[in-house]
Amino acid sequence: MKLTKRGEYALRTLIRLGIADRQGEGVISVSMLADQEKLPFKFLEAILFELRQAGYVESLRGKHGGARLARPAKTIKMGEIVRLIDGKLAPIGCASETEYEKCTCPDEEHCGLRMLMIDVRNAIANILDRYTLEHVVEVTLRKQEQQAAATKKTAKKRPTKVLHADPADGFLAALLSPAT
């Protein structure tokens, strides 16, 4: 599985709409969404169209129009969105449940690579299907609050920028950490 830019932008858009919903902001204009998330406007419009067609987002027209979640964040599983936008979760077609493709291996039934990739697909699916948009919004807001608190404490020091993927910055670590 490779998350495309389209998939990443769709997830970021839903997270931003989930934050807006949680904070009582309501509808967000498409131009504001594009600016806040630094996304190409036309690309965002196409993504919102697809999310609207699938029932995740609703649009409102007019002067105060824009987009908002069409369903509660707790009912939107992250795996649903990835599958909607990017298709199969399996790294190779013969390991996919939803978009199976016969592989070129002469003995698919006993192929160790296929078995390994099925495990990879299952691990990815288990994680993405375990968490809802509400979980991701909660973690995002918690990390923002922690950052703000840390910035206040070290106002005179310049914060160091993390240039690598630190396991402590992972989703599960953030979800399990106590709220501030």
Side-chain angles (χ1 to χ4, degrees):
M1 177 217 144
K2 169 130 174 69
L3 189 64
T4 63
K5 282 292 181 194
R6 185 177 190 82
E8 176 191 344
Y9 292 175
L11 292 170
R12 286 177 39 203
T13 298
L14 284 172
I15 292 165
R16 180 63 191 101
L17 292 175
I19 289 170
D21 184 60
R22 175 105 169 241
Q23 295 178 331
E25 293 177 39
V27 178
I28 299 180
S29 74
V30 178
S31 61
M32 183 182 287
L33 262 172
D35 287 345
Q36 288 176 341
E37 291 300 316
K38 300 190 181 358
L39 303 176
F41 183 83
K42 287 291 183 189
F43 200 23
L44 178 59
E45 280 186 320
I47 291 167
L48 285 168
F49 177 79
E50 191 168 355
L51 292 171
R52 188 174 60 247
Q53 294 293 105
Y56 293 103
V57 170
E58 60 186 14
S59 296
L60 289 117
R61 295 179 184 235
K63 183 179 178 182
H64 301 289
R68 69 178 176 205
L69 293 179
R71 296 173 30 191
K74 68 182 178 186
T75 68
I76 301 172
K77 295 203 180 269
M78 301 310 287
E80 293 173 6
I81 305 305
V82 173
R83 286 183 191 93
L84 172 70
I85 303 296
D86 284 340
K88 66 184 180 190
L89 297 179
I92 58 177
C94 63
S96 177
E97 285 185 343
T98 57
E99 296 181 34
Y100 171 82
E101 297 170 10
K102 180 145 179 55
C103 72
T104 58
C105 178
D107 186 7
E108 184 177 311
E109 188 177 332
H110 301 103
C111 177
L113 176 61
R114 178 174 180 264
M115 289 183 254
L116 177 63
M117 292 302 117
I118 287 171
D119 284 351
V120 169
R121 179 213 57 216
N122 290 342
I124 291 169
N126 286 336
I127 291 168
L128 290 175
D129 292 336
R130 180 182 320 143
Y131 297 112
T132 64
L133 179 59
E134 182 177 59
H135 290 121
V136 179
V137 166
E138 178 185 329
V139 166
T140 302
L141 291 172
R142 188 180 305 167
K143 288 292 262 185
Q144 289 174 350
E145 290 167 4
Q146 289 170 349
Q147 172 96 30
T151 302
K152 284 182 183 178
K153 288 180 185 177
T154 60
K156 294 182 182 180
K157 294 181 185 176
R158 289 188 58 153
T160 57
K161 194 171 192 176
V162 177
L163 299 176
H164 58 84
D166 183 344
D169 288 333
F171 183 80
L172 189 56
L175 186 63
L176 297 177
S177 71
T180 53

